[in-house]
Amino acid sequence: MSDIIQLLPDHVANQIAAGEVVQRPASVVKELLENAIDAHATSIKLIVKDAGKTLIQVIDDGEGMSATDARLSFERHATSKIRTADDLFKLNTKGFRGEALASIAAIAHVELKTKQEEDEVGTSIIIEGSEVVEQEVVVTPKGTSIAVKNLFFNIPARRNFLKSNTVELRHIVDEFHRVALAHPNIAFAMYHNGSEVFMLPESNYRQRIVNIFGNKTNEKLVPVNEDTEVIKISGFVGKPEYAKKSRGEQFFFVNNRFIKSAYLNHAIASAFEGLLKDGAHASYFLNLEVNPQTIDINIHPTKTEIKFDDEHTLYAILRASVKHSLGQFNIAPVLDFDRDADLDTPYDYQNKGVKVPVIEVDKGFNPFQEERTASNTQTRSFKKEPAGSREGLYVGLESKGTKSQKDFSEVRYESDEKTASMFQNENEVEQQQSTYQLHNKYIISKIKSGMLLIDQHKAHQRILYEDFLQYITVKEAMSQQLLFPLQLHFSPQEIAIIKQVKEDLEHTGFMFDNITEDGLEITGVPVSVPESEVSIILEQLISDVENEVPDSNFSAADLLAKSMSKSLAIKTGQGLTMQEQEHLVNKLFACKEPSVSPTNKPTFITMNIDELDRKFL
């Protein structure tokens, strides 16, 4: 039998590696930005077209590369970051595997221009699908410019799996945020389809957060600082009253590298325990500095997961630090809410002896001296109580007389409460109660063949969904004016999303007066929407648009109707009166599609008499 094992060609091996390293355009953005940072750049520019599907270009003013290094950088496992295996445990750079550029070049058209400061001319390399098409000398400024065009051009199946431009751009912006937040000392700029998205000058950490998420973010931040032998923590957490339903503003950086850690996230949630509403998530922007030898970052292809030597200690320190900051800045409640400072013991009296209080008694005091009056009957009388004291309790009541006797004679006795007969007419029972609520979650209704079991939350979603869809289509929704306009603040990216769906929102009953870069003013809301729910609805809507729920095949109106119905539907655990239960059932079966919710989940199930009978066999 002939040999069947053979070495894979380099371009095939690179495409396989690209499957791990390059999942979407945002993966390319991450790798290129990190390479620019490792090159000690002070200014980095990101240019994107069609959400990265057509072009991703990163321009930096870093150290640049020689002609040999430029050619070698596209080879597999070629890196300048490590020399031996021991270097993996003392990394201070972003990349170290040497797979990024090789993987990217295997699935895209890549054009590289680079020049070192001491060189007069630079190098230009053009690669298509791992094949070097051209290499020549060019005039270019110091640093490196790398352009990745037509991503997945030779793997159509992977390209078909990409989401819409809206979703892919959101992932790119997320990666840009992670890199820009980790390095406030570097100036960043981002452009999409020729429009400026971000212009972030060199600044401190707090200012970088404000520049990304809007000016109003400044008042939401609480500083966190802790320096121990194990870990150094610095950064900010958001105040509890500004917590959001989404987890969009949660950032952990370990040695200036963004990571995801459910364990450390639980430490933050534990520190905020009792301060957040149900379903709300705290914001945090925290930098953790640890000894590189105590972590292993080589456990995941994207390097977003880290293994710590002693997670339990880090958990305890992080939780205590955040809790201390919340208490120090009067965010967390204290035990004594109305503490009287006069009751505190001064330091001067700390070592003094205790003095026994002296009780003084006036032996000549006579409480009856002023009230005694002279009279012919030689009897003792007292002063009349002033009105408003004891006699004030009896104002309006008649004194002795026949009235009280008459009232006493008309006292009625309560009769025993009448109970319904066990064999009461069945029609009367049906008139009294036709629906039942089970565990404040399900509504049970009687039908001829048996009974209906309705999920109140999903049923109400279907009702609201069809109502909102009709309002948007017919454009005749009722709006209620607000006495005081509602001021809401969002990040520039969230404002851009609201502008996209503004027209459809107005058709549902929302009225906008003024929209700025980081906020908006609402003067009217739909009749069925309480004012307190407006911010929750818009946050849910922004999240759904960013994640494109359910998918790109649905219209914006459908997406808006689904998002609003999800936010406003009655929740599980909410008690309903008899009239509300009946109204919900009637409205559900008046819908065009009552059997499923907007997300295609069943709204009710039926159980006939035969099924119930079989349960008792």
Side-chain angles (χ1 to χ4, degrees), residues 378-393:
Q378 299 295 324
T379 59
R380 180 179 296 172
S381 62
F382 299 93
K383 273 188 176 182
K384 183 180 179 182
E385 291 286 339
S389 56
R390 280 186 300 186
E391 286 191 6
L393 299 173

Side-chain angles (χ1 to χ4, degrees), residues 250-520:
Q250 295 184 341
F251 297 89
F252 273 125
F253 301 98
V254 175
N255 296 351
N256 293 330
R257 182 191 299 274
F258 172 81
I259 68 157
K260 297 177 182 177
S261 174
Y263 188 68
L264 296 183
N265 180 73
H266 188 273
I268 303 294
S270 178
F272 276 88
E273 187 176 1
L275 300 175
L276 299 177
K277 298 179 182 178
D278 291 339
H281 303 283
S283 301
Y284 53 81
F285 311 86
L286 295 174
N287 295 302
L288 313 179
E289 292 184 25
V290 298
N291 187 343
Q293 296 182 354
T294 63
I295 59 176
D296 184 3
I297 60 179
N298 194 29
I299 64 171
H300 195 273
T302 60
K303 302 182 287 291
T304 55
E305 295 180 12
I306 288 181
K307 185 177 181 181
F308 296 93
D309 280 356
D310 189 359
E311 282 189 329
H312 298 290
T313 302
L314 298 183
Y315 182 100
I317 295 174
L318 182 61
R319 179 179 178 273
S321 301
V322 173
K323 206 160 191 174
H324 173 71
S325 294
L326 293 174
Q328 184 179 6
F329 290 90
N330 296 325
I331 304 299
V334 294
L335 187 61
D336 299 325
F337 293 94
D338 299 320
R339 185 178 60 84
D340 189 353
D342 295 334
L343 299 179
D344 293 344
T345 303
Y347 288 107
D348 294 343
Y349 287 82
Q350 187 174 2
N351 300 320
K352 290 187 176 181
V354 178
K355 293 183 179 180
V356 179
V358 179
I359 302 176
E360 297 182 357
V361 179
D362 185 2
K363 298 181 178 180
F365 175 71
N366 185 354
F368 304 104
Q369 186 173 0
E370 296 180 359
E371 296 182 353
R372 182 173 299 169
T373 59
S375 63
N376 295 331
T377 57
Q378 299 295 324
T379 59
R380 180 179 296 172
S381 62
F382 299 93
K383 273 188 176 182
K384 183 180 179 182
E385 291 286 339
S389 56
R390 280 186 300 186
E391 286 191 6
L393 299 173
Y394 305 102
V395 173
L397 297 178
E398 295 197 15
S399 57
K400 301 176 182 177
T402 58
K403 180 68 177 176
S404 60
Q405 297 175 359
K406 181 180 179 182
D407 290 343
F408 184 77
S409 65
E410 293 180 357
V411 171
R412 305 290 179 88
Y413 294 92
E414 292 183 359
S415 59
D416 293 335
E417 184 180 352
K418 293 183 178 180
T419 57
S421 171
M422 185 174 180
F423 304 99
Q424 191 173 1
N425 189 352
E426 186 178 349
N427 293 331
E428 294 181 7
V429 176
E430 289 182 0
Q431 291 176 359
Q432 290 177 4
Q433 188 167 359
S434 60
T435 60
Y436 301 87
Q437 191 177 25
L438 181 64
H439 296 306
N440 288 344
K441 183 175 183 180
Y442 300 106
I443 296 175
I444 301 174
S445 180
K446 178 183 175 184
I447 55 176
K448 273 188 177 182
S449 60
M451 70 175 183
L452 281 175
L453 195 60
I454 302 170
D455 187 313
Q456 65 183 37
H457 177 63
K458 293 185 175 66
H460 199 212
Q461 276 191 38
R462 164 53 62 176
I463 296 167
L464 293 176
Y465 168 70
E466 294 199 3
D467 287 345
F468 285 128
L469 203 57
Q470 182 180 4
Y471 293 153
I472 297 172
T473 306
V474 180
K475 303 178 182 179
E476 294 181 355
M478 297 292 292
S479 178
Q480 58 182 357
Q481 297 294 308
L482 298 178
L483 183 60
F484 301 102
L486 194 60
Q487 302 281 347
L488 298 177
H489 299 281
F490 296 96
S491 68
Q493 296 75 44
E494 294 171 337
I495 291 293
I497 292 174
I498 292 176
K499 287 180 178 179
Q500 292 177 11
V501 297
K502 176 176 176 286
E503 186 177 350
D504 288 331
L505 281 171
E506 289 173 340
H507 294 158
T508 63
F510 283 97
M511 297 184 69
F512 300 92
D513 185 30
N514 185 29
I515 299 181
T516 61
E517 292 184 356
D518 61 351
L520 53 87

Side-chain angles (χ1 to χ4, degrees), residues 7 12 340 360 387 589 597:
L7 289 174
V12 177
D340 189 353
E360 297 182 357
F589 289 100
S597 70

